[in-house]
Amino acid sequence: MRTLHLAAVFAVATLLTLTGCSSSSPKAATDVQVSPAPGQQATYLAALNAIDPEIVNGKGDKAISRGLDQCTAMKTEKNPNRRVTQIEERFISPHHPGGFGPAKSSLILGAVQKNLCPTL
């Protein structure tokens, strides 16, 4: 029985390893978005609120999700001007449906990079 259990564990581990390394996988293991720690979330949201409270607009989860989406986009987009444009397109609000403009978008980008994906 123990041999069968060990064989099953080995088979599952092998499948997980192969699936994670597969180039045909729709999302590589490094592309998985991880929610930041609560303290990190608070720091990030405070940074956004300091830029303009309407960025978060009472929807912290949405602001975090948009920031994590931007982190994913920055893995392939290296042009700083294009990154600011992405922020303008991604971070919108009812009173800013076209984004917050280049100056605030640059600050938002800085908050995203510093707090959510500092290695990008």
Side-chain angles (χ1 to χ4, degrees):
M1 184 66 138
R2 184 172 182 203
T3 304
L4 180 61
H5 177 71
L6 289 174
V9 169
F10 179 75
V12 169
T14 302
L15 284 172
L16 289 173
T17 301
L18 291 174
T19 302
C21 295
S22 172
S23 61
S24 64
S25 174
K27 269 195 160 191
T30 57
D31 290 341
V32 175
Q33 293 183 357
V34 178
S35 183
Q40 195 177 6
Q41 289 179 17
T43 302
Y44 169 66
L45 294 174
L48 294 180
N49 279 318
I51 297 166
D52 187 326
E54 204 171 308
I55 297 167
V56 176
N57 202 26
K59 298 177 182 173
D61 289 344
K62 193 174 218 175
I64 291 167
S65 175
R66 288 177 177 173
L68 291 172
D69 287 347
Q70 183 63 32
C71 289
T72 300
M74 290 190 305
K75 290 179 182 180
T76 56
E77 182 56 69
K78 303 301 181 193
N79 181 316
N81 294 327
R82 179 67 187 127
R83 286 180 172 185
V84 171
T85 301
Q86 289 174 328
I87 291 285
E88 283 186 88
E89 294 168 355
R90 184 167 279 121
F91 285 81
I92 58 173
S93 74
H95 291 73
H96 294 90
F100 288 84
K104 285 185 181 179
S105 293
S106 293
L107 295 172
I108 295 168
L109 177 60
V112 168
Q113 287 179 296
K114 181 179 179 182
N115 296 290
L116 299 182
C117 46
T119 60
L120 294 177

